[in-house]
Each structure stands twice: as C-alpha cells, then as structure tokens.
C-alpha cells in the first residue's frame, strides 16, 4: 500500500447504464482480487477514481488497461505518487463503488491529505461536482 493514483476522465458519449455497471463490476472484482483499494465514481458524464496499492500493480493497471480503455477519454491524472498513509485501506476492506455521503467524506480526506490546495483551479473546479 505505498502508492496512489487519482484521475478524472470523460465517459464515452452514449455509454449506457448497463455498460457503466459492467465497468463497476469488473473493477470491483479485479481490484479486490489484487488487493487494490480506492474508489470509482461515475457522475455528470465523468469518472473519478482513486487507486491505492503496490506501485507496480496500480501503475501497470493505470497505464496499460485503464488509460487504454475506449469507454472513457480525456484522462487527467490528478495525483500519482508515493504515500505513507493510505486513506482507503483504513476505511474499507473492499474497493468501493457506491456513492454515499460517507464515501464522499473519505474522498475529501484523501484530497486534503494529498494537498488539494496545490492543484490547479481547473482541477478543483472539475472535482467540485463530486464533492458537493
Ligand atoms: C473508468 C474506468 C475505470 C476502470 N478501473 C478499473 C480498475 O480499477 N481495475 C480494473 O481491473 N479494471 C478497471 N477498468 C477496466 C479496465 O480498463 C479493463 O477493461 C479490465 O481491467 C479488463 O481488462 P482485460 O480484459 O484486458 O484483462 C476500468 C475501466 C474504466 C472505463
């Protein structure tokens, strides 16, 4: 649990609820099997994802699978670095999908710990809908 990657992306136009559900199911099953923690949210035509885990595992996943996935585009990496204190590991033993107030609090804690104030205004603005 020594690395985190966080990004926001634009869902492919016309992506159906069923297709989104498929992404959620694959993500949850595989990440739990690989001991990857974090969260995946879909809203307002965008995905927001946090991955926490072993550096090599999550970098491989991010670079070779997620970034190549045609079901989204305009992938913008917000955070990609070493962490001393994982947030999601402490919060839940599962990779999270469902959007609840509690999970949004965890996201706020994650972004605060990772110095959200250092991020550009543009990125903060893009994250706003997820944090309201
Ligand atoms: C927004 C988004 C997030 C995804 N997140 C993950 C993830 O965290 N873990 C994962 O295994 N696959 C994730 N996927 C799916 C992968 O891109 C890929 O389809 C899946 O890993 C199966 O790859 P494979 O059939 O080549 O083995 C995500 C896809 C999208 C569109």
């Amino acid at each position: 649990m020594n690395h985190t990657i966080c990004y926001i992306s634009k869902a492919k136009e016309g992506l159906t609820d069923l297709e989104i559900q498929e992404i959620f199911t694959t993500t949850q099953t595989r990440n739990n099997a690989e001991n990857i923690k974090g969260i995946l949210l879909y809203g307002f035509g965008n995905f927001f994802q946090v991955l926490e885990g072993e550096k090599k595992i999550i970098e491989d996943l991010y670079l070779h699978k997620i970034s190549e996935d045609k079901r989204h585009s305009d992938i913008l990496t917000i955070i990609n670095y070493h962490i001393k204190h994982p947030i999601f590991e402490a919060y839940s033993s599962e990779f999270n999908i469902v959007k609840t107030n509690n999970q949004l609090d965890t996201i706020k804690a994650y972004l605060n710990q990772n110095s959200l104030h250092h991020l550009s205004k543009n990125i903060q603005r893009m994250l706003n809908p997820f944090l309201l």
Side-chain angles (χ1 to χ4, degrees):
M1 281 297 148
N2 59 2
H3 202 82
T4 187
I5 293 177
C6 169
Y7 70 88
I8 192 163
S9 67
K10 211 183 269 178
K12 190 185 77 179
E13 216 163 301
L15 205 66
T16 65
D17 286 351
L18 189 65
E19 287 173 307
I20 292 164
Q21 198 51 53
E22 265 168 28
I23 293 169
F24 284 172
T25 308
T26 311
T27 296
Q28 193 156 37
T29 311
R30 291 192 174 220
N31 291 3
N32 284 331
E34 293 280 352
N35 200 25
I36 296 170
K37 306 286 193 254
I39 197 160
L40 175 61
L41 295 183
Y42 169 80
F44 317 99
N46 294 300
F47 289 107
F48 172 83
Q49 185 166 28
V50 175
L51 299 162
E52 276 182 0
E54 292 305 321
K55 185 170 194 241
K56 186 168 175 6
I57 293 177
I58 63 167
E59 276 190 344
D60 279 355
L61 171 67
Y62 187 55
L63 290 177
H64 303 303
K65 295 213 166 166
I66 296 175
S67 298
E68 308 260 293
D69 199 309
K70 297 282 178 282
R71 293 171 289 183
H72 64 165
S73 63
D74 303 280
I75 300 168
L76 183 72
T77 308
I78 298 170
I79 290 167
N80 183 353
Y81 48 56
H82 174 82
I83 35 165
K84 281 206 189 92
H85 306 290
I87 297 264
F88 286 90
E89 185 182 39
Y91 165 73
S92 169
S93 61
E94 295 237 304
F95 192 88
N96 293 288
I97 298 292
V98 187
K99 193 166 164 181
T100 66
N101 288 339
N102 206 4
Q103 284 170 334
L104 289 178
D105 282 348
T106 316
I107 292 173
K108 280 183 207 168
Y110 170 89
L111 291 169
N112 282 336
Q113 176 157 319
N114 289 294
S115 312
L116 181 60
H117 53 277
H118 287 144
L119 300 175
S120 76
K121 284 270 174 292
N122 275 347
I123 293 176
Q124 288 192 37
R125 205 172 309 126
M126 277 191 289
L127 287 173
N128 262 340
F130 289 104
L131 299 176
L132 290 176

